[in-house]
Amino acid sequence: MAETTASPAPGSWLRRVDRVWLVIAAILALVALFDQPQLVPTVSFTASSLAHTGIFITFAVLAVAWLKATGAESLIARAFEGRQVRMIFLAAVLGGLSPFCSCEVIPFIAAMLAVGAPLAAVMAFWLASPLMDPAMFLITSGTLGFDFALAKTLAAVSIGLMGGFATMFATRTALFADPLRKAPQTGCGGCCSGSAKPFQTKPQWRFWQEAPRRETFRQTVVENALFLLKWLALAYVLQSLMLEYLPAEWIATALGGTGLGPILMGALVGAPAYLNGYAAVPLVDALLSQGMSNGAAMSFVIAGGVSCIPAAIAVWALVKPRVFAAYLGFALIGAILAGIGWQLVA
C-alpha cells in the first residue's frame, strides 16, 4: 500500500518556531562564534534576571488571566457611553489600566466606532492603552521601580486626556473630518497574547464555576506566560550585551545630562526603536546604568510605546493617514512633556 502521508517540507520546523526564540538563538550563536568567553555570562545574566522578575511575571500573568476569565474587560465599553467629556476622562483612565493587547483593540474600537463612539474618546483610549496595563506595571515596578511605573501610568492617562480633548476641539476641522477607513484592515502586529474574544456579558467574578471561563483562564495564563518569557529573555540577552559592549560614555553623551536635548533625543530614538513595551523595560534599565538621563528614559518608553508596530497597526487599520499622523504627533509631544516632568521630579 502506498504511503499517503506527506513528509514535512525541509525547513518546515523553522516556520513553527517563534521568531523571537530564533533571534535569541541566533544572537547567542554569534556570541559563541565571535566571543565565546562571553556566552556563559550572557546566559547566566539572562537566567538570573528572569528569576529576579519571576514573581512579577507570575502576578502579571494571573492578573490578566483573571480579568479575561471574569469578563471584566466588558466594563471598559462603558467608557464610551454618556457625555463626550466624561467619555474622554474614562477612556484615558481605562486605557491606561486595561489588559487589551493591540490585536484586541482593533475589533473592540471598530465596534465602538460603529455604534457612534466619538473619535475624541477613541483617541484618548488609543494613546493610553499601549503605554500601561497590569502586566507592564508589575514588570516596570520590578525593574525600574514603583515610582517610575506610577509616573508612566500618570503620563499615559495625561497623554490620553491631551489627545482626547485636542481631538474634540478639532473635530470640525479638515484633519478629523471623515476620519475612518471605508474598509478597515484587520491585520495583527503579532503582539496578541490572550483570547481575542473577551466575554461580552455581565462579568462573572466566580469564573471557575463555568467551564468556558476556566478554559479562558488556562489559555490566557499559558499564552501570556510564553509571550512575556520570550520577550523578556530577548531583552535580557540584549541588556547583557549592551552592558558589555556599548561604551557608557556614548550613552552619557547622547542621552545623559539634565537639559532638554537628551529628552528630545530619547523621544526621537524611542519612537522607532522597539517593537514591544515589555522588552523595552530591561533595555531602559541598561541604558540608565550606562548614563541615560531620567527624563530621556521616560520620553523613550512613552514615544516607543505609542508608536511601536503593534500599537501603531491598531490605529492605522481603522483611520485615515492624517488621523494616524495626529496620533503620532500627540504621542511625540506627550513623550517630551512626560520626560520633562519626570526629569524635574526624579
Coordinates of all heavy atoms in Angstrom, one line a residue, residues 49-92:
S49 N 18.2 37.3 35.7 CA 17.3 38.4 35.5 C 15.9 37.9 35.4 O 14.9 38.5 36.0 CB 17.6 39.2 34.3 OG 18.9 39.8 34.4
L50 N 15.6 36.8 34.7 CA 14.3 36.2 34.6 C 13.8 35.7 36.0 O 12.7 35.9 36.3 CB 14.3 35.1 33.6 CG 14.3 35.5 32.1 CD1 14.5 34.3 31.2 CD2 13.1 36.3 31.7
A51 N 14.8 35.1 36.7 CA 14.4 34.6 38.1 C 14.1 35.8 39.0 O 13.1 35.7 39.8 CB 15.6 33.8 38.6
H52 N 14.8 36.9 38.8 CA 14.5 38.1 39.7 C 13.1 38.7 39.4 O 12.5 39.1 40.4 CB 15.6 39.1 39.4 CG 15.3 40.4 40.1 ND1 15.5 40.6 41.5 CD2 14.9 41.6 39.7 CE1 15.2 41.8 41.9 NE2 14.9 42.5 40.8
T53 N 12.7 38.7 38.2 CA 11.4 39.3 37.8 C 10.3 38.2 37.8 O 9.2 38.5 37.4 CB 11.5 40.0 36.4 OG1 12.0 39.0 35.5 CG2 12.4 41.2 36.5
G54 N 10.7 37.0 38.1 CA 9.7 35.9 38.0 C 8.4 36.1 38.8 O 7.3 35.8 38.3
I55 N 8.5 36.7 40.0 CA 7.4 36.9 40.8 C 6.4 37.9 40.2 O 5.2 37.8 40.2 CB 7.8 37.3 42.3 CG1 6.5 37.4 43.1 CG2 8.5 38.6 42.3 CD1 6.8 37.6 44.6
F56 N 7.1 39.0 39.6 CA 6.3 40.0 38.9 C 5.6 39.4 37.7 O 4.4 39.8 37.4 CB 7.1 41.2 38.5 CG 7.8 41.8 39.7 CD1 9.1 41.6 40.1 CD2 7.1 42.7 40.5 CE1 9.7 42.2 41.1 CE2 7.7 43.3 41.6 CZ 9.0 43.0 41.9
I57 N 6.3 38.6 36.9 CA 5.7 37.9 35.8 C 4.5 37.1 36.2 O 3.5 37.1 35.5 CB 6.7 37.1 35.0 CG1 7.9 38.0 34.5 CG2 6.1 36.3 33.9 CD1 9.0 37.2 33.9
T58 N 4.7 36.3 37.3 CA 3.6 35.4 37.7 C 2.4 36.2 38.1 O 1.2 35.9 37.7 CB 4.1 34.6 39.0 OG1 5.2 33.9 38.6 CG2 3.0 33.7 39.5
F59 N 2.5 37.3 38.9 CA 1.4 38.1 39.3 C 0.7 38.8 38.1 O -0.5 38.8 38.0 CB 1.8 39.2 40.3 CG 1.9 38.8 41.7 CD1 3.1 38.9 42.4 CD2 0.8 38.2 42.3 CE1 3.2 38.5 43.7 CE2 0.9 37.8 43.7 CZ 2.1 38.0 44.4
A60 N 1.6 39.2 37.1 CA 1.0 39.9 35.9 C 0.2 38.9 35.1 O -0.9 39.2 34.7 CB 2.2 40.4 35.1
V61 N 0.7 37.7 34.9 CA 0.0 36.7 34.1 C -1.3 36.3 34.8 O -2.3 36.2 34.1 CB 0.9 35.4 33.9 CG1 0.1 34.2 33.4 CG2 2.1 35.7 33.0
L62 N -1.3 36.1 36.1 CA -2.5 35.7 36.8 C -3.6 36.8 36.8 O -4.8 36.6 36.7 CB -2.2 35.3 38.2 CG -1.4 34.0 38.4 CD1 -1.0 33.7 39.8 CD2 -2.1 32.8 37.8
A63 N -3.1 38.1 36.9 CA -4.0 39.2 36.9 C -4.7 39.4 35.6 O -5.9 39.6 35.5 CB -3.2 40.5 37.3
V64 N -4.0 39.3 34.5 CA -4.6 39.4 33.2 C -5.5 38.2 32.9 O -6.6 38.4 32.3 CB -3.5 39.5 32.1 CG1 -4.1 39.4 30.7 CG2 -2.7 40.8 32.3
A65 N -5.1 37.0 33.3 CA -6.0 35.9 33.1 C -7.3 36.0 33.9 O -8.4 35.6 33.4 CB -5.2 34.6 33.5
W66 N -7.2 36.5 35.1 CA -8.4 36.7 35.9 C -9.3 37.7 35.2 O -10.6 37.5 35.1 CB -8.0 37.2 37.3 CG -9.2 37.5 38.2 CD1 -10.0 36.6 38.9 CD2 -9.8 38.8 38.4 NE1 -11.0 37.2 39.5 CE2 -10.9 38.6 39.3 CE3 -9.5 40.1 38.0 CZ2 -11.6 39.6 39.8 CZ3 -10.2 41.1 38.5 CH2 -11.3 40.9 39.3
L67 N -8.8 38.8 34.7 CA -9.6 39.9 34.0 C -10.3 39.3 32.8 O -11.5 39.6 32.6 CB -8.7 41.0 33.6 CG -8.2 42.0 34.7 CD1 -7.2 42.9 34.2 CD2 -9.4 42.7 35.3
K68 N -9.6 38.5 32.1 CA -10.2 37.9 30.9 C -11.3 36.8 31.2 O -12.3 36.8 30.6 CB -9.1 37.3 30.0 CG -8.2 38.4 29.3 CD -7.2 37.8 28.4 CE -6.4 38.8 27.8 NZ -7.1 39.7 26.9
A69 N -10.9 36.0 32.2 CA -11.8 34.9 32.5 C -13.1 35.4 33.1 O -14.2 34.9 32.9 CB -11.2 33.9 33.5
T70 N -13.0 36.5 33.9 CA -14.3 37.0 34.6 C -15.1 37.8 33.6 O -16.3 38.1 33.8 CB -13.9 37.9 35.8 OG1 -13.0 39.0 35.3 CG2 -13.2 37.1 36.9
G71 N -14.5 38.3 32.5 CA -15.2 39.2 31.6 C -15.2 40.6 32.0 O -16.0 41.4 31.5
A72 N -14.2 41.0 32.9 CA -14.2 42.3 33.4 C -13.8 43.3 32.3 O -14.1 44.5 32.4 CB -13.1 42.5 34.6
E73 N -13.2 42.8 31.2 CA -12.9 43.7 30.1 C -14.1 44.4 29.5 O -14.1 45.5 29.0 CB -12.3 42.9 29.0 CG -10.9 42.4 29.3 CD -10.3 41.5 28.2 OE1 -11.1 40.6 27.8 OE2 -9.2 41.7 27.7
S74 N -15.3 43.7 29.6 CA -16.5 44.3 29.1 C -16.9 45.6 29.8 O -17.6 46.4 29.2 CB -17.7 43.3 29.2 OG -18.0 43.0 30.6
L75 N -16.4 45.8 31.0 CA -16.7 47.1 31.7 C -16.1 48.3 31.0 O -16.6 49.4 31.2 CB -16.2 47.0 33.1 CG -16.8 45.9 34.0 CD1 -16.1 45.9 35.4 CD2 -18.3 46.2 34.2
I76 N -15.0 48.0 30.2 CA -14.4 49.1 29.5 C -15.3 49.8 28.5 O -15.2 51.0 28.3 CB -13.1 48.6 28.9 CG1 -12.1 48.1 29.9 CG2 -12.4 49.7 28.0 CD1 -10.9 47.4 29.4
A77 N -16.2 49.0 28.0 CA -17.1 49.6 27.0 C -18.0 50.7 27.6 O -18.4 51.6 26.8 CB -18.1 48.5 26.4
R78 N -18.1 50.8 28.9 CA -18.9 51.8 29.5 C -18.3 53.2 29.4 O -18.9 54.2 29.6 CB -19.2 51.5 31.0 CG -20.0 50.2 31.1 CD -20.3 49.9 32.6 NE -21.0 48.6 32.7 CZ -21.4 48.1 33.9 NH1 -21.0 48.7 35.0 NH2 -22.0 46.9 33.9
A79 N -16.9 53.2 29.1 CA -16.2 54.4 29.0 C -16.7 55.2 27.7 O -16.5 56.4 27.6 CB -14.7 54.2 28.9
F80 N -17.4 54.5 26.8 CA -17.8 55.1 25.6 C -19.3 55.4 25.6 O -20.0 55.3 24.5 CB -17.4 54.2 24.4 CG -15.9 54.0 24.3 CD1 -15.3 53.0 24.9 CD2 -15.2 54.9 23.5 CE1 -13.9 52.8 24.8 CE2 -13.8 54.8 23.4 CZ -13.2 53.7 24.1
E81 N -19.8 55.7 26.7 CA -21.2 56.0 26.9 C -21.4 57.3 27.6 O -20.6 57.6 28.5 CB -22.0 54.9 27.6 CG -21.9 53.5 27.0 CD -22.6 52.4 27.9 OE1 -22.9 52.7 29.0 OE2 -22.7 51.3 27.4
G82 N -22.4 58.1 27.3 CA -22.7 59.3 28.0 C -22.1 60.6 27.3 O -21.9 60.6 26.1
R83 N -21.8 61.6 28.1 CA -21.3 62.9 27.6 C -19.9 62.7 27.1 O -19.1 61.9 27.7 CB -21.4 64.0 28.7 CG -22.8 64.3 29.1 CD -22.8 65.3 30.2 NE -22.1 66.5 29.8 CZ -21.8 67.5 30.7 NH1 -22.1 67.4 32.0 NH2 -21.2 68.6 30.2
Q84 N -19.5 63.5 26.1 CA -18.2 63.3 25.5 C -17.1 63.6 26.5 O -16.0 62.9 26.5 CB -18.1 64.2 24.2 CG -16.8 63.9 23.5 CD -16.8 64.6 22.1 OE1 -15.9 64.3 21.3 NE2 -17.8 65.4 21.8
V85 N -17.2 64.6 27.3 CA -16.1 65.0 28.2 C -15.9 63.8 29.2 O -14.8 63.4 29.5 CB -16.5 66.3 29.0 CG1 -15.5 66.5 30.1 CG2 -16.4 67.5 28.0
R86 N -17.0 63.3 29.7 CA -16.9 62.1 30.6 C -16.3 60.9 29.9 O -15.5 60.2 30.5 CB -18.3 61.7 31.1 CG -18.4 60.4 31.9 CD -19.8 60.1 32.3 NE -19.9 58.8 32.9 CZ -20.0 57.7 32.2 NH1 -20.0 57.7 30.9 NH2 -20.1 56.5 32.9
M87 N -16.7 60.7 28.6 CA -16.1 59.6 27.9 C -14.6 59.7 27.7 O -13.9 58.8 27.8 CB -16.7 59.6 26.5 CG -18.1 58.9 26.4 SD -18.6 58.6 24.7 CE -19.5 60.2 24.4
I88 N -14.1 61.0 27.5 CA -12.7 61.1 27.3 C -11.9 60.8 28.6 O -10.9 60.1 28.6 CB -12.4 62.6 26.8 CG1 -12.9 62.8 25.4 CG2 -10.9 62.9 26.9 CD1 -12.9 64.2 25.0
F89 N -12.5 61.3 29.7 CA -11.8 61.0 31.0 C -11.8 59.5 31.3 O -10.7 59.0 31.6 CB -12.5 61.8 32.1 CG -12.1 63.1 32.4 CD1 -12.8 64.2 32.0 CD2 -10.9 63.4 33.0 CE1 -12.4 65.5 32.2 CE2 -10.4 64.7 33.2 CZ -11.2 65.8 32.8
L90 N -12.9 58.8 31.1 CA -13.0 57.4 31.4 C -12.1 56.6 30.4 O -11.4 55.7 30.8 CB -14.4 56.9 31.4 CG -15.3 57.3 32.5 CD1 -16.7 56.8 32.3 CD2 -14.7 56.8 33.8
A91 N -12.1 57.0 29.1 CA -11.3 56.3 28.1 C -9.9 56.4 28.4 O -9.1 55.4 28.3 CB -11.7 56.8 26.7
A92 N -9.4 57.6 28.8 CA -8.0 57.7 29.2 C -7.6 56.9 30.4 O -6.5 56.2 30.4 CB -7.7 59.2 29.4

